[in-house]
Amino acid sequence: KKKKKKVPPSAPPAPKAEFRLSSPSFGNGGEFPSDNRGDEDNMNPALAWEGAPKNTQSFVLLVDSGADDGADAAKATHWVVYDIPKEVSELRDELSGSGASDVGRLGMKEDAGQAPVVVDPMGSIDGWVDPEIENMQNMIHGALDASFEERNRAKEGMTSFGSTYYQGPSADGSMCTFKLYALSTRLELPRGASREAVVAAMKGKILGRATLKAKV
């Protein structure tokens, strides 16, 4: 009888990366940084995430606070950010708050807004422009113009405090919750949308959610 060849066991599938939200300023369940409170500097803390689900096209961040007992009642909304570009994986500290915001620049390079220059010594002679160079310039400028379109930029919604900027919590003993949602598409809501409108628009589009909490 021929001996049956032993088939080596197949390698187990690689573990799925966990969609995780964190902050360099505090650990999950830790103390909320005093600098980020509404009665202090009132600027957002830094946040970072990893393990976003496959096919993620945008992110939504909701920041709420309430009693530390799991109750939904009497929750305050401190920050609503939607249409965060899929390429973004962190929000720097002091991005929004105290009546100012750079949220609309999320995903843009530091030199965004400066039109690229295509140099060709033979590109333009006595008013004649090389068609290839002209096409190249049009393509680059077209891509740049699209990145500046309102619908392609991150936006902030209304908080419980009547503004679109980050407004930090200040009620001692409350729990501040950061919820980051990975979506299969962009919401393309107008700037200043209500929290309710953002939540309603997310239905059927959520691929994953990551949560981070801190005690105020």
Side-chain angles (χ1 to χ4, degrees), residues 17-22 48-53 89 180 210:
E18 180 188 2
F19 186 31
R20 184 171 170 269
L21 178 64
S22 63
W49 55 90
E50 59 187 359
S89 60
L180 183 72

Side-chain angles (χ1 to χ4, degrees), residues 23-26 32-33 35-37 43-48 61 63 79 91-96 166 168-169 178:
S23 173
S25 304
F26 61 92
F32 191 82
D35 287 350
N36 304 118
R37 289 173 57 109
M43 302 294 283
N44 71 279
L47 299 169
L61 176 70
V63 182
W79 204 18
L91 303 181
R92 64 170 175 80
D93 62 342
E94 301 185 1
L95 183 70
S96 178
Y166 168 87
F178 297 75

